[in-house]
Amino acid sequence: MAVTSPQVLGSRRPSIFPVIGKFVLHSDRLVLESPCISGVIMPRRMLIPHKSVFSYSRPPKWLNGPCTMNSAGSGYRVFSANSSPACVELAKRITERLGIELGKAVVYQETNGETRVEIQESVRGQDIFIIQTIPRDVNTAVMELLIMTYALKTSCAKNIIGVIPYFPYSKQCKMRKRGSIVCKLLASMLSNAGLTHIITMDLHQKEIQGFFNFPVDNLRASPFLLQYIQEEIQDYRNAVIVAKSPDAAKRAQSYAERLRLGLAVIHGEPQCSEHDMADGRHSPPTVKNTTVHPGLGIPCKRQPLYPGIELPMMIAKEKPPISVVGDVGGRIAIIVDDIIDEVESFVAAAEILKERGAYKIFVMATHGILSADAPNLIEDSSIDEVVVTNTVPHEVQKLQCSKIKTVDISLILSEAIRRIHNGESMSYLFRNIAMDD
């Protein structure tokens, strides 16, 4: 049977094509019901059904209304990339402040030691924020972050923002001998995995931001620590801010200027120096009759046959006796730093301050890693209190030492998430913040 149907095909001229089917009367109209149509090249107008195929008055709702498939693309979700209780707790605090639910995902270790991540909800077209704190098992936490980032990337997330309060490997940001800049390597790995933005706090060196090829917001914890000093330390007006080494003097000066307090610096403490190793620096080449360059004589045991220029020898560094620059007698000493990990240097500084007359000693730091035997050393030391933020999980250390106190920084993290998602300026979070904070 041949049927002329110019409206259904949408062409200007009637088209005749073979149809296998029958006509049925519906609402005073003849409708062709056919299981197949063959032998016709469909014009482009056939991609949108003609209005005569449907009801009299209007086309169906899915034609004249906006598409709702990607309506969730304007939203955002917050996930926890670590199965540790501390990371989940921080993520829940952030989501409670934002008024949203924590994203559904499963992160676990298989029996063979591999990390597996399963995203249990749609993230297509959304801004995704991954909360990741760094426990003692740093490498596992890094792999969890990388795998979750890549899983979200392959799930068509619009933007993937890593909220990493303490950035791991930040101490390895400089070249030492034949080592490597591991922090730069980690930045490249996160970029390749799919991160498009990072929110962190108090990087060990500000220059680390240059390792990334995407935006990095380096928030500051100093407002929270300053508030703790003003509210929790009695008679803080009689305190003095102490830098336990000249390297921390700028940070201590910033705290002292904000609190209108005095400043003291401990000088002579053993610094992080290069240890003598068999790397060739103390073993100049031996001089033979035929191997000496005619223009240069390197100082060694034997004199070169041809006189030349002698290279000046580097004078070895000698640590001066420990001294305190500034008056701490009869005052509260507050030592400030960005990281407190191995506490031997803090304990030694506390002993020196006690000898100089300080009657109470506090230690303030952003990241309380407190590795090895740090809790026991603090408990037995002259330090009265150690105040850190919850950027790093340290619940076990608090059980071992009653002097460790925690300041919550979820407020500034949640506000940073909200502003980034809404496209608002981040300048408000850095108001009155100096570069040395």
Side-chain angles (χ1 to χ4, degrees):
M1 178 177 65
V3 177
T4 301
S5 179
Q7 288 186 342
V8 174
L9 292 180
S11 61
R12 294 182 179 179
R13 296 181 300 173
S15 301
I16 300 176
F17 57 94
V19 175
I20 301 175
K22 62 180 180 178
F23 286 98
V24 180
L25 182 62
H26 290 287
S27 302
D28 299 330
R29 303 176 64 190
L30 286 176
V31 179
L32 176 63
E33 295 182 354
S34 175
C36 61
I37 298 177
S38 61
V40 179
I41 299 176
M42 301 295 179
R44 295 186 64 181
R45 289 179 60 185
M46 190 60 186
L47 297 176
I48 301 179
H50 195 272
K51 63 182 180 180
S52 62
V53 179
F54 305 102
S55 62
Y56 289 108
S57 59
R58 62 182 182 274
K61 296 180 179 179
W62 58 271
L63 280 178
N64 58 3
C67 181
T68 59
M69 181 180 296
N70 292 327
S71 61
S74 60
Y76 68 104
R77 303 292 292 168
V78 176
F79 287 88
S80 174
N82 195 310
S83 56
S84 65
C87 183
V88 176
E89 180 183 359
L90 178 60
K92 286 183 177 180
R93 289 187 179 185
I94 293 175
T95 53
E96 288 176 359
R97 294 181 182 275
L98 293 172
I100 62 175
E101 294 182 357
L102 186 63
K104 298 178 182 179
V106 177
V107 182
Y108 61 95
Q109 305 292 323
E110 293 185 343
T111 55
N112 59 0
E114 295 182 354
T115 301
R116 183 174 291 273
V117 176
E118 297 178 1
I119 309 299
Q120 298 182 335
E121 61 180 292
S122 176
V123 296
R124 182 179 297 271
Q126 299 189 51
D127 293 335
I128 305 301
F129 296 85
I130 307 176
I131 312 296
Q132 177 65 308
T133 58
I134 305 300
R136 290 191 175 185
D137 193 355
V138 179
N139 296 329
T140 299
V142 170
M143 285 304 302
E144 290 173 348
L145 178 60
L146 291 171
I147 295 174
M148 176 169 279
T149 301
Y150 190 70
L152 293 168
K153 177 183 177 181
T154 55
S155 299
C156 300
K158 181 181 179 182
N159 295 305
I160 306 174
I161 300 94
V163 183
I164 314 172
Y166 169 67
F167 194 80
Y169 290 99
S170 59
K171 287 187 175 182
Q172 299 188 44
C173 61
K174 295 180 180 180
M175 177 66 73
R176 293 185 182 277
K177 295 185 179 179
R178 293 184 179 89
S180 60
I181 306 178
V182 185
C183 192
K184 170 62 177 175
L185 172 63
L186 181 57
S188 301
M189 293 169 63
L190 293 174
S191 177
N192 293 333
L195 279 187
T196 59
H197 200 136
I198 278 184
I199 302 173
T200 187
M201 181 167 286
D202 282 340
L203 288 171
H204 187 57
Q205 297 290 338
K206 308 296 188 299
E207 295 79 5
I208 294 177
Q209 298 182 68
F211 294 163
F212 298 88
N213 55 5
F214 51 77
V216 176
D217 287 315
N218 184 26
L219 304 178
R220 304 294 195 273
S222 55
F224 297 91
L225 298 177
L226 291 171
Q227 183 180 7
Y228 184 91
I229 293 174
Q230 294 174 327
E231 296 179 356
E232 302 296 333
I233 298 180
Q234 297 180 359
D235 195 20
Y236 81 93
R237 290 294 183 185
N238 191 35
V240 58
I241 305 299
V242 180
K244 71 179 182 66
S245 67
D247 294 337
K250 289 185 177 180
R251 182 184 300 270
Q253 180 182 0
S254 177
Y255 276 67
E257 291 176 352
R258 294 177 186 278
L259 295 171
R260 277 69 173 173
L261 300 178
L263 176 66
V265 180
I266 299 178
H267 182 55
E269 180 186 7
Q271 303 293 311
C272 180
S273 60
E274 295 181 343
H275 300 283
D276 290 335
M277 296 177 61
D279 58 358
R281 67 182 65 191
H282 299 302
S283 57
T286 57
V287 179
K288 298 181 180 180
N289 295 336
T290 58
T291 59
V292 178
H293 193 276
L296 181 64
I298 300 178
C300 56
K301 294 182 180 180
R302 297 179 57 185
Q303 294 295 329
L305 298 179
Y306 301 96
I309 302 174
E310 292 188 359
L311 298 178
M313 300 299 294
M314 182 64 67
I315 301 175
K317 294 187 293 184
E318 294 184 2
K319 299 297 179 181
I322 296 179
S323 61
V324 179
V325 181
D327 183 20
V328 297
R331 297 194 177 194
I332 301 173
I334 304 176
I335 306 174
V336 297
D337 211 337
D338 62 330
I339 300 174
I340 175 169
D341 188 2
E342 298 177 353
V343 300
E344 286 80 2
S345 59
F346 291 92
V347 172
E351 295 295 335
I352 296 297
L353 294 173
K354 278 287 186 181
E355 295 177 0
R356 298 298 191 275
Y359 70 91
K360 211 167 187 179
I361 299 173
F362 290 81
V363 175
M364 315 286 291
T366 303
H367 311 295
I369 301 176
L370 302 172
S371 59
D373 198 29
N376 295 329
L377 293 176
I378 294 174
E379 190 70 26
D380 299 334
S381 69
S382 302
I383 300 175
D384 294 281
E385 196 169 284
V386 174
V387 183
V388 293
T389 67
N390 55 345
T391 57
V392 179
H394 52 267
E395 284 70 18
V396 177
Q397 291 88 332
K398 291 180 69 174
L399 295 176
Q400 300 174 356
C401 179
S402 60
K403 297 180 179 180
I404 302 175
K405 307 298 180 182
T406 306
V407 176
D408 182 27
I409 44 86
S410 62
L411 174 63
I412 191 171
L413 294 178
S414 59
E415 180 63 16
I417 291 174
R418 188 193 66 81
R419 287 177 175 269
I420 290 176
H421 170 67
N422 294 331
E424 300 178 15
S425 174
M426 297 286 288
S427 300
Y428 181 80
L429 303 181
F430 295 93
R431 67 191 190 283
N432 300 327
I433 296 295
M435 292 296 296
D436 299 329
D437 284 353

